[in-house]
Amino acid sequence: MKKGKILMTLAIVFFLTEVFNLLFIKNEYAKMFINDIGLVLLSFMVVAIWLLAYNLIDKRFGGERKVWIFLGIAFALRFLGELIWAFYEIFLKIEIPNLSIADIAWTLSYIFVLISFRYKMKYTYIENKKSVVYLMLAICTALAGVYLYLDFLNIVRNPAVINISENILNQSYVVFDIYIIGLILAINLPLIRGYNKVMKSCFVMAFAFISFGIFDYLYTVGVREGTYISGSFIDLFYYWAYLLAAYSVFLRYKLMNTITLSVPKENYHQDVKKPSKRRRK
């Protein structure tokens, strides 16, 4: 438990440092340096706490382990993206190009999040699950379609102003967010009445990805209109999303650690009985 508390405390410190940097640091290079290093450390805290939590999930719970494996890979890819971005800006001192390795890492992270939540949906009991899934897919597809259509109209009206490749990349993140948030709502909303400590972690993670989604949308609009600069207030959504993700995995680690400590190791598997070899008469 002590390791988890230390890592969570560090995550809060890095978050507050990012907020202080955003509000009070005026020097552009110093602000960029603190911002990039802070995001690397903040995203790493999520991965580190995730690793502690994952190691406490019993091997009997194969479905839960799958959910956490893919979620862990997703956050590891986010950490890799932040690391590459910081390397370009701090050490190479150049603006990272479109469709860079960092973008590949972030794109893959969205895919692994979708895979993780797909398994979460599979192993979670929800009444009329198929109907809920089909309804969610229909709504998300409709929203994504309308959003992309409106963006296409904007490109037609201002073809010389918009960087097409950059816009396609940024819009893909927003579309991923639409489906991720749809999956999150489909999983969590039917379970609100059964709220417990396990669900608390799930709800916090849901708000983390909603925050990522809000940032992606505002960032895309800002870049398209030429109003976004690093250190904008919309970056608070990004920092907040990482902090919520860290807190979510910390809650799960805390819960699993409590369960593990409350059951002696020698009795931890005694409730699993081997099937009888005798035939029924």
Side-chain angles (χ1 to χ4, degrees), residues 173-199:
Y173 292 152
V174 177
V175 171
F176 275 126
D177 288 322
I178 290 172
Y179 281 97
I180 288 171
I181 292 172
L183 259 177
I184 287 172
L185 295 177
I187 293 170
N188 288 294
L189 288 181
L191 303 176
I192 288 178
R193 286 180 295 180
Y195 185 81
N196 53 40
K197 289 184 178 180
V198 175
M199 289 308 302

Side-chain angles (χ1 to χ4, degrees), residues 88-103:
Y88 268 85
E89 286 200 326
I90 295 173
F91 296 101
L92 299 183
K93 296 183 179 180
I94 61 174
E95 185 177 346
I96 193 165
N98 292 327
L99 301 176
S100 65
I101 300 175
D103 290 313

Side-chain angles (χ1 to χ4, degrees), residues 158-174:
N158 306 284
V161 177
I162 297 173
N163 183 318
I164 300 299
S165 62
E166 181 180 56
N167 188 67
I168 291 174
L169 177 67
N170 292 335
Q171 298 300 348
S172 70
Y173 292 152
V174 177

Side-chain angles (χ1 to χ4, degrees), residues 1-270:
M1 177 67 78
K2 189 175 182 181
K3 291 180 181 178
K5 286 183 177 179
I6 292 173
L7 292 174
M8 189 63 227
T9 301
L10 287 174
I12 295 172
V13 170
F14 296 144
F15 169 77
L16 293 176
T17 302
E18 291 287 59
V19 174
F20 179 86
N21 178 54
L22 182 69
L23 297 176
F24 300 108
I25 302 299
K26 303 301 180 183
N27 181 278
E28 289 186 8
Y29 180 79
K31 177 173 282 192
M32 177 270 293
F33 182 88
I34 295 172
N35 178 71
D36 289 353
I37 295 299
L39 283 173
V40 169
L41 294 173
L42 195 53
S43 58
F44 178 73
M45 290 303 104
V46 180
V47 177
I49 301 172
W50 167 86
L51 187 60
L52 291 178
Y54 177 76
N55 286 334
L56 291 177
I57 301 176
D58 192 82
K59 292 181 179 180
R60 292 174 298 168
F61 304 111
E64 186 72 5
R65 288 174 70 87
K66 284 181 181 178
V67 172
W68 277 76
I69 285 173
F70 287 111
L71 190 62
I73 294 173
F75 278 113
L77 286 166
R78 275 194 170 273
F79 163 68
L80 179 62
E82 305 294 355
L83 191 63
I84 294 170
W85 184 280
F87 178 77
Y88 268 85
E89 286 200 326
I90 295 173
F91 296 101
L92 299 183
K93 296 183 179 180
I94 61 174
E95 185 177 346
I96 193 165
N98 292 327
L99 301 176
S100 65
I101 300 175
D103 290 313
I104 294 172
W106 283 322
T107 301
L108 288 173
S109 76
Y110 284 100
I111 294 172
F112 279 102
V113 168
L114 285 171
I115 295 172
S116 173
F117 288 155
R118 181 261 180 190
Y119 277 113
K120 183 67 177 177
M121 174 67 80
K122 179 180 178 180
Y123 294 111
T124 302
Y125 173 75
I126 299 174
E127 291 184 13
N128 303 314
K129 184 183 293 186
K130 284 188 177 181
S131 299
V132 171
V133 171
Y134 290 143
L135 178 62
M136 178 274 297
L137 287 174
I139 292 174
C140 289
T141 302
L143 288 174
V146 171
Y147 177 78
L148 292 175
Y149 175 71
L150 293 175
D151 183 66
F152 174 75
L153 292 180
N154 192 60
I155 293 175
V156 172
R157 291 167 187 164
N158 306 284
V161 177
I162 297 173
N163 183 318
I164 300 299
S165 62
E166 181 180 56
N167 188 67
I168 291 174
L169 177 67
N170 292 335
Q171 298 300 348
S172 70
Y173 292 152
V174 177
V175 171
F176 275 126
D177 288 322
I178 290 172
Y179 281 97
I180 288 171
I181 292 172
L183 259 177
I184 287 172
L185 295 177
I187 293 170
N188 288 294
L189 288 181
L191 303 176
I192 288 178
R193 286 180 295 180
Y195 185 81
N196 53 40
K197 289 184 178 180
V198 175
M199 289 308 302
K200 184 178 180 180
S201 172
C202 296
F203 282 124
V204 173
M205 186 62 76
F207 283 112
F209 280 104
I210 290 172
S211 295
F212 277 128
I214 294 172
F215 169 80
D216 285 339
Y217 172 73
L218 294 176
Y219 171 82
T220 299
V221 173
V223 169
R224 186 177 60 201
E225 297 180 355
T227 58
Y228 175 80
I229 58 173
S230 183
S232 297
F233 279 97
I234 67 171
D235 289 348
L236 287 172
F237 286 104
Y238 200 55
Y239 308 148
W240 182 242
Y242 272 125
L243 184 65
L244 287 176
Y247 184 54
S248 173
V249 291
F250 172 72
L251 287 174
R252 180 55 63 91
Y253 163 73
K254 184 179 177 182
L255 177 62
M256 296 302 299
N257 193 65
T258 302
I259 294 172
T260 304
L261 291 176
S262 65
V263 181
K265 288 186 177 180
E266 60 271 15
N267 298 329
Y268 196 64
H269 296 284
Q270 70 177 15

